[in-house]
């Protein structure tokens, strides 16, 4: 009597053409079960066929099982622009990001301050994608991008912050500052200013005489006054410059 033989094989369907490959054979008269290991590196649906035959017709049999290989890898998303902590000066912002997935991306969504803003379903994998021409009022915002793939895996990017500042700083000379064209017999000049600017970066006081710059002092804190002392006799002029964080 010929011993029973169990021959499993796997096959994948593609245009009704099946690729068959034997993954193991057992020749035994007393085997009750057998273990086989299948390795897969790409999501797919496969068919596993196990055939047992013997010299006895009643002992022959075939079983076909479906084996699904799932994708469990999440997409990755890299933010490109606007860069974290930067400012925009016209209120119109384009967002750039690079998504990647090991299989296929399904969609990517832009989130502003934690709320979904819009979704892109035409994603280019592994290259820079974008959301164009969004309008914002002056203020500070955060943004991130969420993506999911065709297997249902999803992931989010980092969260970056950007600011909108469309207003020019307003500066006016304040109390204690002498009127333009004043003349005094003393060796000091005092200047005080008022500034309207929500996102101030720095303020610079400059003093000039008839030959050029005498002193330039910059503060990164909201200083509003300066007193230049020990000055020689002569004609002096001064100005004050404020830069905001948008430059």
């Amino acid at each position: 009597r010929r011993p029973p033989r169990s021959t499993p094989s796997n096959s994948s369907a593609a245009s009704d053409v099946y690729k068959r490959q034997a993954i193991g054979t057992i020749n035994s008269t007393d085997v009750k079960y057998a273990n086989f290991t299948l390795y897969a590196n790409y999501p797919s649906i496969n068919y596993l066929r196990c055939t047992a035959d013997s010299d006895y017709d009643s002992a022959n049999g075939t079983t076909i099982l479906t084996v699904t290989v799932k994708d469990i890898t999440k997409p990755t998303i890299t933010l490109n622009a606007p860069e974290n902590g930067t400012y925009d000066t016209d209120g119109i912002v384009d967002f750039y990001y690079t998504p990647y997935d090991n299989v296929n991306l399904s969609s990517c969504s832009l989130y502003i301050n934690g709320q979904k803003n819009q979704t892109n379903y035409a994603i280019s994998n592994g290259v820079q994608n974008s959301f164009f021409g969004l309008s914002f009022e002056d203020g500070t915002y955060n943004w991130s991008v969420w993506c999911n793939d065709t297997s249902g895996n999803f992931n989010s990017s980092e969260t970056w912050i950007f600011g909108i500042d469309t207003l020019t700083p307003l500066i006016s000379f304040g109390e204690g500052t002498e009127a333009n064209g004043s003349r005094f017999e003393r060796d000091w000049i005092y200047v005080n200013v008022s500034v309207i600017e929500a996102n101030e970066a720095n303020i610079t006081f400059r003093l000039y005489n008839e030959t050029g710059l005498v002193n330039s002092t910059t503060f990164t804190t909201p200083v509003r006054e300066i007193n230049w002392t020990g000055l020689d006799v002569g004609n002096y002029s001064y100005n004050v410059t404020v830069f905001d964080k948008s430059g």
Side-chain angles (χ1 to χ4, degrees):
R1 185 181 65 175
R2 186 176 58 185
R5 183 178 65 244
S6 176
T7 306
S9 63
N10 65 341
S11 58
S12 299
S15 302
D16 295 328
V17 177
Y18 291 84
K19 297 179 180 179
R20 299 177 179 179
Q21 179 181 359
I23 62 172
T25 301
I26 294 177
N27 291 293
S28 177
T29 59
D30 59 359
V31 65
K32 295 181 174 60
Y33 62 87
N35 293 324
F36 295 94
T37 302
L38 297 175
Y39 295 95
N41 58 5
Y42 196 85
S44 58
I45 297 177
N46 303 275
Y47 300 92
L48 181 66
R49 186 179 67 183
C50 182
T51 300
D53 57 62
S54 157
D55 289 337
Y56 303 99
D57 292 340
S58 60
N60 296 334
T62 298
T63 297
I64 298 178
L65 302 175
T66 301
V67 179
T68 302
V69 180
K70 291 186 176 181
D71 170 28
I72 60 173
T73 303
K74 296 179 179 180
T76 60
I77 308 101
T78 301
L79 302 184
N80 303 128
E83 294 183 6
N84 194 28
T86 57
Y87 277 80
D88 176 84
T89 59
D90 64 4
I92 306 298
V93 182
D94 299 330
F95 296 88
Y96 296 91
Y97 65 99
T98 302
Y100 172 77
D101 189 71
N102 63 319
V103 184
N104 290 306
L105 288 163
S106 177
S107 66
C108 290
S109 298
L110 172 67
Y111 281 74
I112 303 295
N113 291 343
Q115 301 295 317
K116 183 188 292 187
N117 180 275
Q118 57 183 281
T119 300
N120 183 4
Y121 294 97
I123 307 298
S124 297
N125 192 14
V127 298
Q128 187 169 268
N129 290 249
S130 60
F131 297 98
F132 280 119
L134 277 72
S135 298
F136 295 90
E137 297 181 354
D138 280 33
T140 301
Y141 302 86
N142 65 64
W143 72 288
S144 61
V145 175
W146 285 73
C147 294
N148 66 284
D149 61 22
T150 53
S151 298
N153 303 303
F154 61 90
N155 202 6
S156 66
S157 68
E158 296 180 309
T159 297
W160 281 6
I161 296 173
F162 68 98
I164 304 296
D165 188 353
T166 61
L167 302 176
T168 301
L170 299 178
I171 310 170
S172 60
F173 289 111
E175 183 178 354
T177 304
E178 306 297 348
N180 190 32
S182 297
R183 301 184 66 86
F184 296 94
E185 294 182 359
R186 65 191 190 201
D187 67 348
W188 55 270
I189 296 175
Y190 172 82
V191 174
N192 175 276
V193 296
S194 297
V195 177
I196 300 177
E197 173 54 54
N199 299 302
E200 183 176 331
N202 60 68
I203 182 170
T204 301
F205 297 83
R206 293 184 179 89
L207 177 67
Y208 300 87
N209 62 15
E210 294 172 321
T211 61
L213 180 67
V214 176
N215 176 264
S216 177
T217 303
T218 298
F219 300 95
T220 56
T221 56
V223 174
R224 296 295 181 255
E225 61 182 4
I226 193 170
N227 190 20
W228 290 293
T229 61
L231 301 176
D232 295 331
V233 175
N235 295 320
Y236 293 87
S237 62
Y238 50 81
N239 64 40
V240 181
T241 303
V242 173
F243 280 95
D244 61 23
K245 293 179 181 179
S246 65

